[in-house]
């Protein structure tokens, strides 16, 4: 079984008909990313050359993180905002020339709305929150596919730690570190809940998150 076929087998049944897994074709692509390819169709693109350097459990959780983004409807989209901003600004300049107050207000309103949407899209806090929510969904998906809760946390934590080690850009590395810190806190909460349910200390430890 090829790696792409193996990853396709990790798709939940509710996503199998409209989520596709393909090798990345771009020059210097990200390790794994999402792209909308049509109405109600999404493609998960994988840089197979880099992907093969990760442990299989790490690959699985990174893949389910992307599936989690799909299920949470936090897919990065090439939106209409830049075009709308350009149209709005162009219209505003044109209406200043012809001095039509109503059309000027409409053009400024379009520009403001598009600018606000661009701000939300590029807001680093929102990106981080979306990623943390996708990590939580990845843990749930791993458990659906037979992982224990401790092993799911350990595998995702190990994957994030590996990404941190491989990332040179400080801002991007900090993003992975923030995700890892949030995962550690989530693991501690899961450990406490499991200990209460099972009366055992053999559930999740914070060290598991770091793959130690």
């Amino acid at each position: 079984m090829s790696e792409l076929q193996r990853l396709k087998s990790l798709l939940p049944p509710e996503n199998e008909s409209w989520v596709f897994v393909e090798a990345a074709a771009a020059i210097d692509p990200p390790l794994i990313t999402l792209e909308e390819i049509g109405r109600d169709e999404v493609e998960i693109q994988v840089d197979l050359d880099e992907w093969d350097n990760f442990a299989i459990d790490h690959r699985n959780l990174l893949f389910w993180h992307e599936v989690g983004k799909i299920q949470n409807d936090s897919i990065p989209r090439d939106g209409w905002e830049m075009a709308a901003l350009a149209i709005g600004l162009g219209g505003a300049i044109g209406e200043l020339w012809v001095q039509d107050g109503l059309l000027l207000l409409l053009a400024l309103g379009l520009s403001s709305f598009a600018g606000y949407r661009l701000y939300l899209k590029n807001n680093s806090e929102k990106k981080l929150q979306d990623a943390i929510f996708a990590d939580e969904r990845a843990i749930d998906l791993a458990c659906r596919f037979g992982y224990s809760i401790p092993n799911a946390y350990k595998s995702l934590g190990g994957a994030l730690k590996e990404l941190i080690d491989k990332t040179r850009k400080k801002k991007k590395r900090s993003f992975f570190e923030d995700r890892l810190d949030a995962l550690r806190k989530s693991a501690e909460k899961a450990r406490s809940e499991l200990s209460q349910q099972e009366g055992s200390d053999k559930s999740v430890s914070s060290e598991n998150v770091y793959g130690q």
Side-chain angles (χ1 to χ4, degrees), residues 153-210:
Y153 275 105
K154 180 177 180 179
S155 297
L156 182 53
L160 289 173
K161 189 172 185 294
E162 193 167 355
L163 287 172
I164 291 167
D165 292 340
K166 292 177 181 288
T167 301
R168 296 180 180 179
K169 293 182 179 180
K170 184 177 179 180
K171 184 175 181 181
K172 194 171 183 179
R173 188 169 63 248
S174 178
F175 178 76
F176 292 136
E177 289 170 345
D178 288 341
R179 280 175 58 187
L180 186 60
D181 184 57
L183 188 71
R184 177 183 61 79
K185 293 175 182 176
S186 177
E188 290 172 348
K189 182 179 178 182
R191 176 187 58 184
S192 176
E193 291 175 352
L194 283 176
S195 294
Q196 290 177 3
Q197 291 173 6
E198 300 174 3
S200 171
D201 293 327
K202 297 180 180 179
S203 51
V204 184
S205 71
S206 59
E207 289 79 9
N208 287 144
V209 175
Y210 294 88

Side-chain angles (χ1 to χ4, degrees), residues 78-187:
D78 293 329
W80 47 265
E81 291 90 351
M82 283 299 296
L85 183 61
I87 292 170
L89 290 174
I93 293 171
E95 298 312 324
L96 282 173
W97 182 260
V98 300
Q99 296 184 346
D100 187 319
L102 178 59
L103 292 178
L104 174 62
L105 288 174
L106 289 174
L108 289 174
L110 176 61
S111 298
S112 299
F113 181 65
Y116 177 67
R117 287 295 299 267
L118 282 171
Y119 166 76
L120 290 180
K121 180 180 286 188
N122 295 305
N123 183 274
S124 58
E125 289 186 9
K126 184 179 186 302
K127 284 184 177 181
L128 176 61
Q129 201 60 48
D130 286 344
I132 290 171
F133 288 153
D135 285 338
E136 293 173 356
R137 186 60 66 96
I139 296 295
D140 292 339
L141 288 167
C143 293
R144 283 179 61 181
F145 278 81
Y147 278 69
S148 67
I149 292 177
N151 282 340
Y153 275 105
K154 180 177 180 179
S155 297
L156 182 53
L160 289 173
K161 189 172 185 294
E162 193 167 355
L163 287 172
I164 291 167
D165 292 340
K166 292 177 181 288
T167 301
R168 296 180 180 179
K169 293 182 179 180
K170 184 177 179 180
K171 184 175 181 181
K172 194 171 183 179
R173 188 169 63 248
S174 178
F175 178 76
F176 292 136
E177 289 170 345
D178 288 341
R179 280 175 58 187
L180 186 60
D181 184 57
L183 188 71
R184 177 183 61 79
K185 293 175 182 176
S186 177

